[in-house]
Amino acid sequence: MGNTYFAAPVPGVPLRLQIVRGDEATDTRCAVARAVEDVSEGTARRLMEINTFAAVRIARLVLPTMRRCGQGRIVNLSSAAGRSVLPLGGWYGASRAASADLTHALRMELTGSGVRVVLIEHGFHATGPLDDAVRSLTPPSGISTRFTDCYRDAAAALSDSTKFSGPEHAAATVQKALTARRPRARDTVGMDARVAAPLIASVPYAIRDPVKRLWWASRGRRSCRAS
């Protein structure tokens, strides 16, 4: 599943039938799960290019037509990691947070144009980006053996697809955002995105950091617990 979806207007055809997936124009799937200092600048830039800049580039291409027609729909699929980052998710969370902020700004800027912009934030689910994250954990750390142990435990936990739901709920939420008469400005998929992420993001760091470390360790990543 890609990051950006559009309902593009075509004269004489109902808007709800004009659904175009943004990932058909560009590969918009990328996830990296490693310590912040253990991610190369090239990898970090690629992550930002795919998860953040690609959606903006596609929006620039379709917006002139949408404006002329006075209608359209842009749906950006982001992640709860952009609201509440976890250990090893710094770069991925940063790319998602940037995408979310750009989506919110675009929505406000397009007020009155007839173009609606929707942000969908998902939690953990078994899709291609999760596989990307597991692959990124394979190389040992060039910084610390503790990080290497953490990567091994995290990869084992994330490789168990039975712990995560499939992409069906996310797909249904995207479909609803594209076709609803009055779509929500922001929607979520999964309890971790709907409840846990905003709840944790609302408490002080002195509380949220220990809670995140304990949760992370309880999911099979015990070597990631702060020493």
Side-chain angles (χ1 to χ4, degrees):
M1 178 174 291
N3 288 342
T4 307
Y5 298 76
F6 303 95
V10 173
V13 182
L15 176 65
R16 62 185 176 84
L17 298 180
Q18 303 307 314
I19 298 174
V20 181
R21 288 182 54 180
D23 62 344
E24 291 177 357
T26 181
D27 180 11
T28 51
R29 301 191 312 173
C30 186
V32 173
R34 293 179 74 84
V36 172
E37 61 183 316
D38 215 7
V39 174
S40 70
E41 184 173 335
T43 297
R45 287 182 180 277
R46 177 175 178 272
L47 191 68
M48 298 298 290
E49 283 283 347
I50 293 175
N51 289 347
T52 305
F53 298 136
V56 176
R57 290 193 183 102
I58 298 174
R60 285 186 180 130
L61 293 175
V62 300
L63 276 172
T65 299
M66 289 182 174
R67 279 199 178 91
R68 285 195 299 270
C69 294
Q71 61 177 333
R73 193 75 52 88
I74 297 175
V75 179
N76 281 336
L77 184 60
S78 186
S79 168
R83 303 190 74 192
S84 182
V85 69
L86 291 169
L88 309 187
W91 284 108
Y92 178 71
S95 71
R96 293 310 200 178
S99 177
D101 284 347
L102 288 167
T103 301
H104 291 315
L106 185 64
R107 183 186 65 253
M108 292 184 285
E109 293 161 0
L110 291 174
T111 299
S113 69
V115 180
R116 295 180 180 271
V117 181
V118 180
L119 175 71
I120 297 176
E121 294 175 329
H122 63 75
F124 283 98
H125 58 269
T127 57
L130 190 65
D131 296 334
D132 291 342
V134 172
R135 284 192 293 270
S136 73
L137 290 163
T138 301
S141 171
I143 305 297
S144 166
T145 56
R146 176 174 169 268
F147 284 158
T148 298
D149 293 340
C150 184
Y151 297 163
R152 182 184 61 248
D153 291 348
L158 294 175
S159 297
D160 185 359
S161 60
T162 62
K163 293 182 178 180
F164 311 106
S165 62
E168 294 80 12
H169 289 170
T173 304
V174 170
Q175 176 74 11
K176 181 178 69 174
L178 286 168
T179 57
R181 183 178 179 184
R182 295 183 177 178
R184 296 179 179 179
R186 175 182 169 272
D187 210 341
T188 55
V189 180
M191 290 298 293
D192 46 353
R194 185 172 299 113
V195 178
L199 179 63
I200 292 175
S202 68
V203 302
Y205 286 105
I207 298 175
R208 76 172 78 170
D209 285 0
V211 168
K212 288 180 182 180
R213 287 195 294 266
L214 288 172
W215 179 87
W216 192 247
S218 71
R219 302 274 294 189
R221 307 159 178 90
R222 300 189 183 280
S223 58
C224 297
R225 188 194 297 266
S227 57

